[in-house]
Amino acid sequence: MEFSFVQELVHRLKTFQAMQTDVVTTRAEQRMREVQALMRARRISGVPVVDEVGDLVGIVTIEDIIRALDHGHIEEPVDTWMTKDVVTVRDRWPLTESMSVLDRTGYGRLPVLDESGKLVGIVTPESILHSLLVELNRLLAQDEEHPHQAVDRSAPDGLRMEFQVTAGDYDSAGLSSVRLKRELANRGLAQDVQRRVAIAVYEAEANLIIHTERGGQILAVMDDETIRVTVEDDGPGIADIDLAMKHGWSTASDLVRTLGFGAGLGLPNIRKCADHFEIRSAPGYGTRLNLRFDLTPAARGDSAPKGPAGRGDEAGAGE
Amino acid sequence: MLWSELMAELDATVLVPGADFDVNAIAAADLLSDILATEKEDFVILTGQTSPPAIRTALAVGALWVVVVRGKTIPQEMIDLAKSFGIPLAVTGKKMFEACVSAGARMWNSPSSRS
C-alpha cells in the first residue's frame, strides 16, 4: 500500500519536472578523445550530440568510447562512433511513461525533446529520484502544517470544485470566482474570506484567459481549516517571476486592457488576498499557483450578513 | 449620500433597480483589476466596462451597485446578469471624470455621507 502514494506522485509529475536541464552536449565534428575528456571531467556516462540549431543527432556513451578505444579510433570524429538511433522521450510525457522507457531499454539516461524536437534536458534514474524527493518534501511540509490533510481530503463539510478556464474567453472572466463564492456563502463563511477567495480566483482566472495558450484549471478544496486553491496551466510560463510580481507590470496587449484586464495587478493582488502564496513557473512549461486561505473560527462561523440586506450572493442566481 | 441621490446627481437611467442604501464609497475605474484591488466595502463601481465580467467583479469584491459612464449601450447579457445577482445597474450620460466630480461634490457635502 505504501507504493500507491509514490505511484500517485509519479503519475502526477511530467517528464520535464524530473529532468536535468543543464545538459552537457557535444557536436558531431568533435573528436572522440575530447568527449572522453569531457565525460571524465563532468563525471557523466553519456553526452548528447546536437547540430547547430540544437536538434539531437546522436549520443556518445561510455560504450561508444570503449568501442572507439578498442579499435584505436579515439582521435576520430564523434560522427563516426556515436549512437545515431537515439531513444528519446518528450518533455510533456507523464513521468511514468519515461520511466517505463528507461526500464524497457535499460539505458542510464534518456534525452528529453520538446514539441519541436529540440533537446531540452536529460532524464536519469538520479534526476527522477531527486524530483520525487523534492515533491515528497513539499507534500510533507504541507502535511506538517495540516496533518489531517493527508488522511482526510473530503471532510463532511468539505468542498471540492474544479473549473476549466478557456484562453481568450474574456466574457467568461469571473465565472469560476462567482460560482465558488456562492458555494462559500452557502456554507456560511465570513464575508472577508469569501471576498479574498473570490478576488484571488477572479485574478487567476483572468490570467489564464489573457496569458495562456490553452487555458488552464482551477481547483478549490475546502476542509475544516483551510481553503486551498491550485491554479495550473501549461504555458507559456513566466520568464521573470519577480518582475511579474511587481505592481503594475504587465505583458498584456492594448486589446486586453480595453477589455478591462491587464493592469499588472493580478499576481500582487492574489498574494495580498491569500494567507499563503506560492508560484512556480518555467518558460515553455507553464505556471502553477498554490494558494491557501486559513479558516479561523471567526471565518468559519460568522455567517451574519454584513452590509445592507438583500444582496444577491445567496440568491442562487443562474450563472 | 443615498443611492437614489447619486442617481439624481448623475442624471442616470436605472436599468436594474435595487434598494436605496447609503453609498459609502465609489471605485471609479475601467480596469477591472483596479477594482479588484480596492479595499473599500459597500461601494459603487463607476466604470466604462459594459461586459458581464464587470458584474462578476462587483460580486467578487462585494460592491453593491454598478454605474456605467458615457451613456454606453449596455448589452442585454450584462443587464440579465445584474438582475439575476441582484446588483443594481444604471447608466449615466456623463463621462468618467464628470461623473466623479459631481458624485464627489455631492458625497462630501451630503449630511448622510460617512466618507
Side-chain angles (χ1 to χ4, degrees), chain A residues 170-175 177-178 181-182 194-195 198-199 202-203 257-266 269 272 306-313 315-319, chain B residues 19 21-22 30-43 49 51-65 77 81 83-88:
Chain A
Y170 295 97
D171 267 0
S172 76
L175 212 53
S177 164
V178 166
K181 190 179 183 189
R182 195 164 61 209
Q194 286 183 37
R195 185 175 195 263
I199 292 172
Y202 198 126
E203 291 284 11
R257 285 171 210 243
T258 311
L259 292 164
F261 301 103
L265 304 173
N269 201 14
K272 193 180 81 184
K306 194 166 165 295
R311 286 300 315 283
D313 285 6
E319 273 241 310
Chain B
F21 298 121
D22 198 21
D30 286 342
L31 286 175
L32 299 178
S33 293
D34 282 343
I35 298 168
L36 286 170
T38 184
E39 289 178 355
K40 299 179 193 321
E41 284 181 22
D42 303 346
F43 61 96
Q49 290 296 335
S51 61
I55 299 297
R56 297 192 198 108
T57 300
L59 282 166
V61 294
L64 295 185
W65 306 272
E77 200 190 346
L81 195 59
K83 235 180 242 169
S84 64
F85 280 114
I87 300 271

Side-chain angles (χ1 to χ4, degrees), chain A residues 21 76 82 105 135 137 168 186 200 209 232 240 242-243 246 284-285 312 318:
Chain A
T21 50
E76 289 191 357
M82 69 184 184
T105 58
E135 188 65 11
N137 239 334
N186 286 343
I209 292 169
E232 207 165 10
D240 188 335
D242 288 341
L243 201 54
K246 279 200 178 126
Y285 296 109

